[in-house]
Amino acid sequence: MTEGVLVVVDAQHVFADRDSPWGAPRFAEVHPAIRRLTTAFAGRVVHTRFVAPAEPAGAWVPYYAQFPFALQPPDAPLYALVDDPGDAPVLDATTFGKWGAELAVLVGAGPLVLAGVSTDCCVLSTALPAADAGVPVQVVTDACAGASDADHDRALAAMALYAPLITLTTTDAVLAGR
């Protein structure tokens, strides 16, 4: 039996499209694992979406100067989820990290099982504050994709430093209930 709540981080067209400046090259390879997990966690899935703010502020001003293509409204096609979330909650955030009060209520005591993109950005930025809040975090390594293989591996190595608060696992191990 799978435990916890699956959070599918930013499985959106802007990251799935190989031609996007933010495309995760291995998205198509990890997408089947994300779908397997979503099926197994039915009723205990939360999807997140990264969206641009209406008006960037602070350090986000030069960020969006570098990536002006992303300054689009939340309903723009690039921000659409790749899969229909059905009845599962969808949390939008203008930040890389998705951990906050709203997600904390949905996850409860956890564990928080993370899959999605990008391992080296939004997954990492969600895992660390959740673990710091005392929620057990499982990162499903074969259901995450990074900006590159090297970035994916570096992010996993950084998260492994937080054991036992954060554990790295695989889709098969999660589905086997380990």
Side-chain angles (χ1 to χ4, degrees):
M1 167 84 183
T2 57
E3 294 182 20
V5 175
L6 173 67
V7 176
V8 180
V9 178
D10 302 352
Q12 299 166 257
H13 288 283
V14 69
F15 304 112
D17 182 355
R18 291 181 71 84
D19 295 329
S20 167
W22 290 348
R26 295 203 184 270
F27 183 88
E29 292 174 37
V30 304
H31 188 229
I34 292 170
R35 291 181 119 191
R36 287 177 61 206
L37 291 165
T38 301
T39 299
F41 279 82
R44 295 176 293 123
V45 179
V46 177
H47 297 268
T48 69
R49 289 188 331 136
F50 179 84
V51 295
E55 190 75 29
W60 290 104
V61 172
Y63 181 82
Y64 284 105
Q66 184 176 348
F67 299 107
F69 82 96
L71 281 175
Q72 297 188 35
D75 61 352
L78 79 157
Y79 290 130
L81 293 173
V82 171
D83 295 318
D84 180 351
D87 294 334
V90 178
L91 302 180
D92 288 355
T94 59
T95 56
F96 295 144
K98 305 308 185 285
W99 183 256
E102 194 173 1
L103 187 54
V105 167
L106 293 170
V107 170
L112 171 63
V113 181
L114 292 176
V117 293
S118 166
T119 317
D120 46 301
C121 187
C122 297
V123 173
L124 175 69
S125 296
T126 301
L128 296 182
D132 205 32
V135 176
V137 177
Q138 297 174 355
V139 177
V140 187
T141 61
D142 61 341
C144 292
S148 70
D149 289 346
D151 292 336
H152 172 79
D153 292 342
R154 280 192 290 270
L156 293 177
M159 288 185 279
L161 296 172
Y162 288 80
L165 299 172
I166 298 175
T167 57
L168 305 182
T169 187
T170 64
T171 301
D172 287 341
V174 169
L175 296 180
R178 291 185 255 149

